[in-house]
Amino acid sequence: MPHRLSRPGRRIDPARALHFTFDGAPHRGFAGDTLASALLGAGRILMGRSFKYHRPRGPVTAGQDEPNALVGLGQGGRFEPNQRATATPLFEGLTAISQNRWPSLEHDVGSVNARLSRFLPAGFYYKTFLWPASFWKKVYEPVIRASAGLGRPPEGPDADRYEHLHTHCDLAIVGGGIAGLAAALEAGRAGRRVLLMEQDTIWGGRTVTDGAIDGTTIDGLDPAAWVARAVDDLSAMDSVTLRSGLMGAGVYDHGYLTAHERVADDRPGADAPRHRLWKIRAGHIVTATGGLERPLAFAGNDLPGVMLASAVRDYVCDYAVTPGRRVVIVTTNDDAYRTALALLDAGVEVPAVIDARSQVTGALPTRVRDRGVEIVTGSGLRAEGTGRVERVLVCDVTGDGTPTRRIACDAVAMSGGWSPVPHLWSHCGGKLTWNDERGFFAPDPDRPPVGADGTGMVSAIGTAAGHMDAAACLGQADTPVTQPVERLPRPTWIMPERAGPALRSKMFLDYQNDVKVSDIQLAAQEGFVSVEHAKRYTTLGMATDQGKLSNINGLAVLSDAVGRPIPDVGTTTFRPPYVPISMGSIAGEARGEIFQPLRRTPLHDWHEANGATWEPVGHWRRPYCYTRDGEDIRAAVSREIRNVRENVGLLDASTLGKIVVKGPDAGRFMDLLYTNMMSTLAVGRCRYGLMCSENGFLMDDGVVARLSEDTFLCHTTTGGADRIHAHMEEWLQTEWWDLKVHTANVTEQWAQIAVVGPRARDVLDRLGGMDLSRDAMPFMTWSDGTLADLPVRVFRISFSGELSYEVAVPANLGRALWDRLLEAGADMGVMPYGTEALHVLRAEKGFIMIGDETDGTVIPQDLGLHWAISKKKDDFIGKRGQQRSHMTDPDRWKLVGLETLDGGVLPDGAYAALDDRNANGQRKTEGRVTSTYYSPTLKRGIAMGLILNGPDRMGETVTFPGTDGKVHTARIVDPVFYDKQGARQDV
Amino acid sequence: MRRYSAFAIAREALRHHTGWERAWKSAAPKSRYDVVIVGAGGHGLATAYWLGRNHGITNVAVIEKGWLGGGNTGRNTTIIRSNYLQDPSAALYEKSRSLYETMSQDLNYNVMFSPRGVLMLAQTEHEKRGYLRTAHANALQGITTRFIGPAEVKKICPIMNIDGPRYPVLGGLWQERAGTARHDAVAWGYARACSDMGMDIVEQCEVTGVTRDGARVTGLSTTRGDIACDKLGIVVAGHSGRLAEMAGFRLPVESVPLQALVSEPIKPCMDIVVMANTVHGYMSQSDKGEMVIGGGTDGYNAYTQRGSFQHIEETVRALVETFPMISRLKMLRQWGGIVDMTGDRSPILSRTPVENCFINCGWGTGGFKATPGSGWAFAELMATGASPLTAAFGMERFREGRFIDESVAAGVAH
């Protein structure tokens, strides 16, 4: 049985007890424990259930690569599923629950799948659940979904916060084992800016625990002392940054590295971000990420109590717990003998070491043999037991599994040898090479991932590069190392090697997903011979450990099944992150209000305080309308419209884009940018302009003012400002780099208020300071001046058909101007209006709105805007596009007004339908509604639309089927519904 | 072909599954075929399948540079819908969606088509109006969609935060009969059916040249020898430009990385597919329990099947905002594919300037959903010279300005 040992553990502090619960039962562990070590210490080995067959499982590792011991952690807004118990630091009050079981971990109904496993081989679901067809959605899929999945979903909004940290360095070293420390010392001494990170909370990697077992010395020191000295030396270097608890997660193009720091996982509720995502630009990346031990594929290798040999000695030495009282060791290499020594030193019985090699003569095995432990050579085994391992049956490793003896035990420590961790090397295309002697893939130094300069941007060192002893890991550092010499391992992929189908169907490769040797062989038999096919067909390597334990064994089995060498079969692609990282950390701080930070005009707070109903427009919010007591939205909009037509309204137009185009070639540039002739615009004048895409489609519009001979101010739509500025810059920088022009987006520098309505001039006159009369300031002009002692620029332009001035002031004076206008116009009925009133006002006048009348498929000619397209210019963006045959086709959908026969409002987005159908059986259409409103001015529905040859069909009726089954009939009319002569704006 | 069924599994279980045969035969290329399809992804295999089923053409080879289904077929987020705005798109995608409904039975291979419903969120007034327009168009196109309000959105997707604060949900366009399918199974099921009709599926066979007799295509050179054919169909997604160059014409296509990611698996918590275009992200839950997440394309052209982390960050941020509970899930894996984008973001199913050479490409970010319909239509085009479903998708439309622009309504994601 697992239990706590009465000996010290390197990581734990027995003086500090910590209390926690697992599935509601109270337990006690020590500071420094992981959840898994504490549960083992409490006598518990069963910690999880597998994904497919719901088999009972105990921990198989002592780290992040754990596939079995996954639990739900925390409560409420801090609940999180699928936490590795083996990498979860214990803290006071921790609450954990087991997963993927019902009703309890011990008694799981889903384990019936294990009994049926013979009927549920790899890919069985592709072959069945076919009839009746309707059952997939209603019966089969819901049952499969409920049985699959692991932990239960988080409950709601996350109670914690996260942050990003940006940094850069000459050298980022991932992995704080002896190789990483030595590399950091060397680079640090050379004065380079080094970031050294280690995913564990302590430094030194495997060498500290292993070296204490086998008596390794480095530079005359025991490894722990050497590591402590190295960390001290590095801490004293200004150019070196050391971070433990920071995991290198992913390598991206151009030396970009992400790393994940668990800041406060063990302090729920602390005033700190829970995780921190590091975004690092590194001149060079060194991966010193060490190795991963491979399990062995023998029958019964998934029973609770079967663990990696390295994990067993970590539990014994670091946490003072043992998974059992009698531990059999099964290995293909010398390294596992360290586990035997650690168990013997801790007083745990080791009845035998089963070694696949026929000759076992290394220094470590000799020490074990000298301590009276039997070494059974040339052998393999299978494990048996109910709910946990109870015995092993030893057999010839090259045979078919006939047992030669039986050994009672309550745990098995297995080692299939070690593989380098190549993930970060491979994320950006680093290639691997197969080491046949030791049976692993290692980074090929001749084929690294390349950076922007075409040279390698990642190097692998230490065990990650395939070096399996301390001296080699320290490389040319010239550091004297004493360490027992290890003999070569015997790569062994299944055990025994001629096992029949019954045994192979009990040899687990991917523990979590229950992929067995027989599944890979079935995949190969059915033609899924590419490693990617085998993975996808069997789900090998797709579990939460992403194949860290299973991939090499799996592809070796595949290689054998298809009769091709392992390097020809190859690996699947290594993808970030190395270990799964929280979505919260990826999202970072930007959530809630600051997810896409809100842009606020200088008048935002006034709107908020005065009843604005908001509408998101781009990254801004604009008032849709301002409701008063007892008013609904529709009533408010109607009131605002009537007031503009009858008195005077104020609109916050600050969000409209304002881009300055300046330089000796500004006129030439403007002529290319707009369809209109802009270079002839006189200083002091305004002109309504159109911008088209290269394909000729109308993309933005707005009023251009010529500020001086070499300066234009371009107004754009609110949503278009940033896009149009980028568009200008793209053309200037990539095509017309010879033009002497600068552009600047000054949208936020100005507050702009539209004063609109028959009393507009009266209100402004009352502010005093400028002559705004018709003669002094005609329509489509602008002027600088002072109003109410504020410096202003006034544009006499109109988007409503009313007498209208747009007054711009420096942004910090916007609120002052707004207040003065409200004050001055109080007795004239001045009131603000929102975007919906703006839309109705312009629709009553037949003015188009970008995004309503246009959708990226409409050319200005469709909208009757021929007058704004210069015929005199050689070129402008979109000119050639508009000459394509479909664009010049006279039969196009064109802008008209639409009036329902009954005065009602046409449904938004409706299409004008014909009775017949096209070749694909769809109803033919002849147009669509682009804008539709109730006009309080005209007291009826009005609409604009694009109708086939519409301007030639005035007075005809067209029909619009609604989605509610009603059919609306409308008459084609002129799009200008109100004040057709334009008398009201030119007064 | 031995048929798959629960009975067949039971029978095989008794003999340790030793009786299963290869799903598709491993073929070496012959020297001549009536039709050669380049590209054994879903679209290429579907084309071959319908050439056989609908047009009786079975002397067909589908050749593939790598492993079957290894491109975008095996990398996408498996969304199937047909709520498109423009008539030609709607016809093609609806044909495709309807073929998905019977695909498992047609192929005797469970592709797990799950008509769980797709919801496209409206989070601005402008977006809402766009979807109202789509709903009107769909009604005339014979596609069942409807615009639903925020309360119904919350009811069918309880894990969604509909109250903002940044972009409150104003409703959504709901297509109840849309859904997802198992992407790999689509390729495998078609490959098995094609192989059963006597077609050759040749993997690990890279095209090195296209041979012509004047303006007419006569065959291919490949890494596994020369192959003659009467008709050639190029169905290679991100590498279309390179194949077109070999055949001697140019395509208005750019290749861009598109990324996706999955979370670790959890118990069922989301029964539908949600696409949120204002914030740029979409999500569904696979039958395995993983949250499957996608977003926008990378900003630069490339052939690398990976992308920049910035896009992962933006997508995850958008979805954490929309589904706050995923903040405490972990990203298990991210990956990328190469999507072939045309100028109007709609595909090309077309004859080419080279006689008897046809091209099917430009599916951009939305090709998986079109797989069976694309194959159906492209097979008709190749066999008969015309198809009502492909009529609008000819490559000459870029010269004429006859674009099929779906971005009008769909925003970022297809």
Side-chain angles (χ1 to χ4, degrees):
Chain A
M1 290 298 287
H3 60 275
R4 188 75 69 175
L5 297 162
S6 53
R7 52 160 281 167
R10 181 161 74 103
R11 292 175 188 251
I12 59 164
D13 178 1
R16 284 176 55 210
L18 298 173
H19 301 85
F20 68 101
T21 65
F22 181 67
D23 279 342
H27 294 287
R28 197 179 65 123
F30 299 121
D33 261 328
T34 62
L35 176 57
S37 68
L39 285 169
L40 288 170
R44 180 164 194 112
I45 191 96
L46 177 64
M47 294 187 198
R49 290 271 171 178
S50 65
F51 188 93
K52 182 175 175 187
Y53 298 142
H54 289 244
R55 288 177 65 88
R57 292 285 167 76
V60 69
T61 75
Q64 288 283 9
D65 43 338
E66 174 61 34
N68 287 342
L70 267 52
V71 300
L73 209 63
Q75 289 171 307
R78 293 201 163 84
F79 174 79
E80 178 163 10
N82 304 343
Q83 292 290 81
R84 286 91 179 129
T86 51
T88 298
L90 195 67
F91 55 87
E92 181 63 31
L94 178 150
T95 57
I97 54 165
S98 58
Q99 306 191 145
N100 202 32
R101 82 292 181 272
W102 186 85
S104 72
L105 188 55
E106 281 72 18
H107 306 284
D108 175 17
V109 168
S111 64
V112 66
N113 287 1
R115 306 211 173 166
L116 298 172
S117 64
R118 193 174 238 210
F119 299 92
L120 311 174
F124 74 97
Y125 30 75
Y126 299 121
K127 296 172 177 159
T128 182
F129 305 125
L130 287 163
W131 301 100
S134 63
F135 267 43
W136 177 255
K137 182 184 177 187
K138 294 189 181 123
V139 182
Y140 302 136
E141 188 178 45
V143 170
I144 289 171
R145 286 186 70 195
S147 164
L150 282 172
R152 67 176 164 82
E155 287 166 14
D158 193 336
D160 285 314
R161 65 188 170 89
Y162 302 82
E163 71 179 25
H164 287 179
L165 187 148
H166 297 256
T167 187
H168 50 94
C169 57
D170 295 327
L171 191 64
I173 302 172
V174 184
I178 57 169
L181 290 166
L185 284 168
E186 189 184 329
R189 285 180 188 131
R192 303 180 71 191
R193 285 174 307 163
V194 178
L195 171 61
L196 174 65
M197 65 185 79
E198 165 56 46
Q199 65 170 347
D200 202 343
T201 51
I202 57 176
W203 297 95
R206 288 225 57 83
T207 314
V208 178
T209 297
D210 290 353
I213 296 168
D214 66 23
T216 298
T217 66
I218 305 174
D219 208 8
L221 300 171
D222 71 67
W226 185 88
V227 167
R229 190 182 73 185
V231 171
D232 283 349
D233 289 352
L234 288 165
S235 303
M237 295 181 189
D238 289 340
S239 69
V240 176
T241 304
L242 290 161
R243 280 286 183 284
S244 59
L246 180 62
M247 180 207 54
V251 171
Y252 301 83
D253 285 326
H254 312 143
Y256 190 74
L257 171 70
T258 57
H260 186 258
E261 182 178 6
R262 301 204 294 174
V263 181
D265 265 342
D266 53 353
R267 293 179 286 143
D271 183 22
R274 175 172 172 246
H275 297 155
R276 182 178 291 131
L277 186 74
W278 292 52
K279 303 198 280 190
I280 303 152
R281 285 277 176 198
H284 194 80
I285 297 166
V286 169
T287 66
T289 43
L292 286 170
E293 192 171 29
R294 299 190 296 264
L296 280 166
F298 54 83
N301 65 346
D302 74 321
L303 286 168
V306 179
M307 261 188 215
L308 290 174
S310 57
V312 170
R313 63 178 182 266
D314 285 348
Y315 284 119
V316 169
C317 301
D318 293 358
Y319 302 101
V321 291
T322 173
R325 296 182 191 282
R326 265 171 73 83
V327 184
V328 168
I329 290 164
V330 55
T331 183
T332 63
N333 57 70
D334 280 4
D335 179 63
Y337 288 84
R338 291 191 173 92
T339 304
L341 292 170
L343 288 164
L344 294 170
D345 288 346
V348 179
E349 195 180 345
V350 179
V353 179
I354 315 301
D355 197 317
R357 297 172 294 183
S358 48
Q359 297 283 319
V360 180
T361 56
L364 288 165
T366 301
R367 283 197 217 171
V368 172
R369 194 181 277 126
D370 288 349
R371 292 179 69 168
V373 176
E374 182 188 4
I375 298 174
V376 187
T377 58
S379 295
L381 52 67
R382 83 177 85 150
E384 290 184 346
T386 305
R388 59 161 304 144
V389 62
E390 290 166 353
R391 73 196 80 85
V392 297
L393 304 182
V394 181
C395 59
D396 181 345
V397 73
T398 60
D400 62 3
T402 308
T404 53
R405 58 190 282 194
R406 169 193 166 110
I407 303 172
C409 62
D410 58 0
V412 173
M414 64 181 163
S415 178
W418 288 79
S419 300
V421 171
H423 298 66
L424 296 174
W425 167 270
S426 300
H427 283 168
C428 244
K431 299 289 185 277
L432 303 177
T433 179
W434 176 249
N435 181 326
D436 205 38
E437 199 171 55
R438 291 177 177 271
F440 60 64
F441 281 103
D444 181 348
D446 295 333
R447 294 181 296 164
V450 292
D453 61 357
T455 64
M457 66 175 191
V458 181
S459 311
I461 62 169
T463 301
H467 302 304
M468 291 296 161
D469 61 78
C473 283
L474 291 172
Q476 66 271 59
D478 256 357
T479 312
V481 173
T482 61
Q483 190 180 34
V485 175
E486 292 181 36
R487 298 293 165 94
L488 282 178
R490 176 190 189 279
T492 303
W493 308 114
I494 72 169
M495 181 177 268
E497 285 162 340
R498 288 197 292 118
L503 288 182
R504 292 202 304 259
S505 65
K506 290 179 184 158
M507 297 175 179
F508 286 82
L509 293 167
D510 188 313
Y511 286 96
Q512 189 180 102
N513 281 353
D514 289 321
V515 180
K516 300 163 296 182
V517 168
S518 56
D519 292 316
I520 297 293
Q521 289 170 330
L522 175 61
Q525 174 190 331
E526 294 192 84
F528 297 90
V529 294
S530 147
V531 63
E532 286 285 354
H533 282 160
K535 164 190 155 183
R536 288 152 183 262
Y537 191 64
T538 64
T539 71
L540 176 86
M542 291 167 74
T544 58
D545 70 321
Q546 286 285 286
K548 289 190 182 66
L549 262 56
S550 59
N551 269 358
I552 302 293
N553 288 346
L555 68 92
V557 170
L558 179 66
S559 150
D560 181 61
V562 300
R564 284 189 292 147
I566 290 173
D568 286 9
V569 171
T571 65
T572 54
T573 311
F574 293 90
R575 295 286 191 180
Y578 172 61
V579 169
I581 62 176
S582 62
M583 300 279 190
S585 68
I586 298 171
E589 303 93 333
R591 51 180 66 202
E593 292 285 353
I594 56 169
F595 166 74
Q596 297 188 359
L598 191 63
R599 297 175 75 181
R600 295 162 192 268
T601 75
L603 304 174
H604 187 96
D605 292 344
W606 190 94
H607 303 319
E608 180 78 50
N610 286 275
T613 298
W614 292 110
E615 172 187 7
V617 184
H619 285 180
W620 303 93
R621 262 180 206 160
R622 302 189 71 185
Y624 181 89
C625 64
Y626 305 79
T627 47
R628 295 180 172 178
D629 286 345
E631 247 180 7
D632 64 7
I633 284 176
R634 188 179 156 156
V637 170
S638 292
R639 169 180 51 75
E640 290 171 8
I641 293 165
R642 279 196 309 271
N643 192 61
V644 169
R645 293 276 181 235
E646 291 163 14
N647 299 308
V648 58
L650 300 182
L651 177 81
D652 182 1
S654 308
T655 59
L656 289 178
K658 304 165 205 75
I659 301 169
V660 172
V661 173
K662 187 176 178 71
D665 293 324
R668 272 180 71 197
F669 177 60
M670 293 291 287
D671 281 348
L672 288 164
L673 199 63
Y674 284 85
T675 62
N676 320 62
M677 185 75 87
M678 288 296 181
S679 54
T680 58
L681 183 64
V683 175
R685 303 285 303 182
C686 298
R687 182 168 289 163
Y688 172 71
L690 305 176
M691 266 183 270
C692 292
S693 67
E694 225 178 333
N695 282 320
F697 299 121
L698 184 54
M699 62 188 284
D700 210 77
D701 69 349
V703 170
V704 173
R706 190 157 199 172
L707 301 185
S708 69
E709 198 50 44
D710 70 349
T711 311
F712 293 82
L713 175 66
C714 307
H715 287 103
T716 74
T717 58
T718 296
D722 296 325
R723 188 165 40 87
I724 294 301
H725 187 224
H727 169 75
M728 290 179 179
E729 283 296 322
E730 182 177 357
W731 283 96
L732 276 178
Q733 292 177 30
T734 64
E735 301 290 334
W736 302 324
W737 43 268
D738 53 330
L739 293 188
K740 296 191 180 78
V741 175
H742 285 291
T743 69
N745 186 345
V746 298
T747 303
E748 289 177 331
Q749 310 300 311
W750 300 86
Q752 195 149 317
I753 299 167
V755 185
V756 185
R759 311 289 306 267
R761 190 180 284 139
D762 299 340
V763 173
L764 292 169
D765 281 346
R766 201 172 278 180
L767 298 184
M770 287 177 81
D771 181 359
L772 298 170
S773 65
R774 184 180 178 177
D775 293 341
M777 195 171 176
F779 189 53
M780 294 307 271
T781 62
W782 66 271
S783 183
D784 281 340
T786 314
L787 284 174
D789 297 327
L790 301 170
V792 296
R793 175 172 293 154
V794 181
F795 303 88
R796 183 144 177 231
I797 54 183
S798 177
F799 195 45
S800 58
E802 296 298 330
L803 174 64
S804 165
Y805 297 84
E806 290 200 12
V807 186
V809 285
N812 61 330
L813 301 177
R815 178 64 192 275
L817 176 64
W818 183 263
D819 288 344
R820 304 277 154 78
L821 286 165
L822 286 172
E823 216 173 277
D827 61 340
M828 298 181 222
V830 71
M831 61 175 74
Y833 64 100
T835 51
E836 186 64 1
L838 167 83
H839 291 161
V840 178
L841 288 163
R842 65 92 197 172
E844 289 174 345
K845 282 293 296 174
F847 294 144
I848 64 137
M849 184 75 137
I850 298 293
D852 287 349
E853 276 62 48
T854 70
D855 64 358
T857 68
V858 175
I859 55 176
Q861 291 86 341
D862 297 337
L863 302 175
L865 295 170
H866 304 79
W867 56 268
I869 303 168
S870 168
K871 309 244 176 349
K872 297 182 197 152
K873 293 194 294 186
D874 290 339
D875 202 7
F876 58 82
I877 298 171
K879 182 178 172 103
R880 277 166 286 175
Q882 289 165 3
Q883 290 168 349
R884 289 191 251 204
S885 59
H886 182 58
M887 306 297 182
T888 56
D889 186 346
D891 295 324
R892 287 181 64 88
W893 291 10
K894 294 174 189 166
L895 184 73
V896 292
L898 296 164
E899 276 181 1
T900 48
L901 301 187
D902 61 3
V905 180
L906 280 172
D908 208 347
Y911 277 76
L914 299 168
D915 288 336
D916 52 342
R917 293 176 183 270
N918 66 20
N920 291 315
Q922 301 166 319
R923 281 278 291 278
K924 286 187 181 170
T925 53
E926 58 170 338
R928 62 183 183 88
V929 173
T930 57
S931 297
T932 173
Y933 303 100
Y934 174 75
S935 163
T937 315
L938 304 167
K939 300 202 167 41
R940 57 164 298 131
I942 60 166
M944 296 161 79
L946 293 163
I947 302 289
L948 181 67
N949 293 325
D952 303 332
R953 296 168 60 188
M954 288 295 156
E956 287 184 31
T957 58
V958 278
T959 55
F960 296 89
T963 48
D964 55 0
K966 285 190 201 133
V967 177
H968 306 259
T969 307
R971 182 175 290 113
I972 300 173
V973 297
D974 185 282
V976 184
F977 293 94
Y978 182 68
D979 185 26
K980 287 183 196 295
Q981 292 71 38
R984 296 178 65 87
Q985 68 187 15
D986 193 21
V987 291
Chain B
M1 178 171 82
R2 191 166 299 164
R3 290 191 66 77
Y4 290 157
S5 65
F7 173 75
I9 291 176
R11 185 189 60 220
E12 284 298 328
L14 301 178
R15 45 173 170 167
H16 294 287
H17 300 280
T18 51
W20 295 113
E21 49 191 32
R22 287 183 67 105
W24 62 89
K25 293 180 204 76
S26 173
K30 293 187 289 207
S31 59
R32 197 201 151 276
Y33 294 91
D34 292 346
V35 175
V36 170
I37 304 291
V38 183
H43 289 243
L45 291 163
T47 303
Y49 175 77
W50 292 117
L51 277 172
R53 272 286 300 272
N54 286 354
H55 305 283
I57 301 170
T58 56
N59 183 19
V60 174
V62 185
I63 66 173
E64 168 59 47
K65 178 175 77 168
W67 42 279
L68 177 159
N72 296 339
T73 301
R75 294 167 192 273
N76 62 80
T77 49
T78 81
I79 299 169
I80 295 161
R81 62 183 180 88
S82 62
N83 52 353
Y84 278 66
L85 177 69
Q86 311 289 7
D87 285 349
S89 319
L92 189 52
Y93 289 105
E94 175 62 7
K95 175 70 187 174
S96 195
R97 194 202 58 76
S98 68
L99 289 172
Y100 266 115
E101 290 187 327
T102 55
M103 188 187 284
S104 294
Q105 288 71 35
D106 285 348
L107 299 179
N108 178 235
Y109 203 92
N110 189 355
V111 301
M112 301 179 214
F113 174 61
S114 169
R116 55 182 62 185
V118 171
L119 178 68
M120 305 179 75
L121 284 189
Q123 290 179 281
T124 65
E125 289 292 332
H126 186 254
E127 203 171 19
K128 179 177 170 180
R129 299 188 56 216
Y131 289 138
L132 289 172
R133 178 179 165 193
T134 305
H136 279 99
N138 288 163
L140 298 170
Q141 292 153 347
I143 296 168
T144 307
T145 60
R146 66 193 166 92
F147 190 85
I148 61 173
E152 194 170 351
V153 168
K154 183 73 182 172
K155 194 169 147 230
I156 58 177
C157 188
I159 64 168
M160 193 191 301
N161 170 26
I162 63 164
D163 298 323
R166 193 61 184 84
Y167 295 106
V169 171
L170 305 177
L173 184 68
W174 173 233
Q175 186 176 19
E176 195 166 0
R177 295 174 73 186
T180 59
R182 173 88 181 97
H183 54 13
D184 291 323
V186 171
W188 300 340
Y190 274 130
R192 177 165 168 265
C194 288
S195 183
D196 185 54
M197 284 190 275
M199 298 178 180
D200 285 346
I201 294 160
V202 187
E203 295 177 83
Q204 307 296 330
C205 178
E206 184 172 354
V207 174
T208 54
V210 175
T211 49
R212 287 165 47 169
D213 177 5
R216 191 167 56 86
V217 73
T218 56
L220 296 166
S221 353
T222 77
T223 50
R224 297 180 68 176
D226 292 347
I227 306 171
C229 63
D230 293 344
K231 288 181 181 173
L232 174 66
I234 299 172
V235 197
V236 296
H239 294 276
S240 295
R242 298 179 55 195
L243 262 291
E245 193 178 3
M246 289 182 201
F249 62 95
R250 293 192 68 195
L251 282 173
V253 165
E254 297 182 347
S255 292
V256 186
L258 175 68
Q259 301 181 77
L261 64 115
V262 290
S263 76
E264 293 182 346
I266 51 172
K267 291 292 176 190
C269 64
M270 184 181 186
D271 296 332
I272 65 167
V273 182
V274 172
M275 313 183 75
N277 289 329
T278 290
V279 295
H280 286 200
Y282 46 92
M283 184 166 95
S284 64
Q285 186 172 24
S286 72
D287 284 349
K288 205 163 169 270
E290 300 149 331
M291 309 311 291
V292 183
I293 289 171
T297 53
D298 271 39
Y300 53 86
N301 297 355
Y303 283 116
T304 61
Q305 287 175 322
R306 56 178 187 266
S308 58
F309 187 72
Q310 173 211 337
H311 288 271
I312 295 294
E313 195 181 308
E314 284 176 0
T315 302
V316 169
R317 187 174 292 155
L319 292 171
V320 166
E321 195 61 19
T322 313
F323 307 97
M325 55 85 88
I326 70 163
S327 177
R328 286 191 94 88
L329 296 182
K330 294 190 275 308
M331 173 170 81
L332 176 63
R333 182 180 178 88
Q334 63 167 99
W335 67 93
I338 302 303
V339 295
D340 40 334
M341 309 286 274
T342 64
D344 61 2
R345 303 296 186 253
S346 288
I348 295 171
L349 295 115
S350 183
R351 298 162 164 279
T352 69
V354 181
E355 202 180 322
N356 290 350
C357 176
F358 300 82
I359 183 123
N360 178 345
C361 69
W363 291 95
T365 60
F368 176 70
K369 68 175 78 68
T371 305
S374 159
W376 173 290
F378 196 53
E380 187 174 24
L381 175 67
M382 287 189 73
T384 70
S387 163
L389 288 168
T390 67
F393 292 99
M395 56 193 280
E396 67 283 356
R397 74 176 187 272
F398 298 99
R399 193 175 61 239
E400 298 167 357
R402 198 181 295 276
F403 303 122
I404 307 166
D405 194 339
E406 286 293 335
S407 61
V408 171
V412 50
H414 270 249

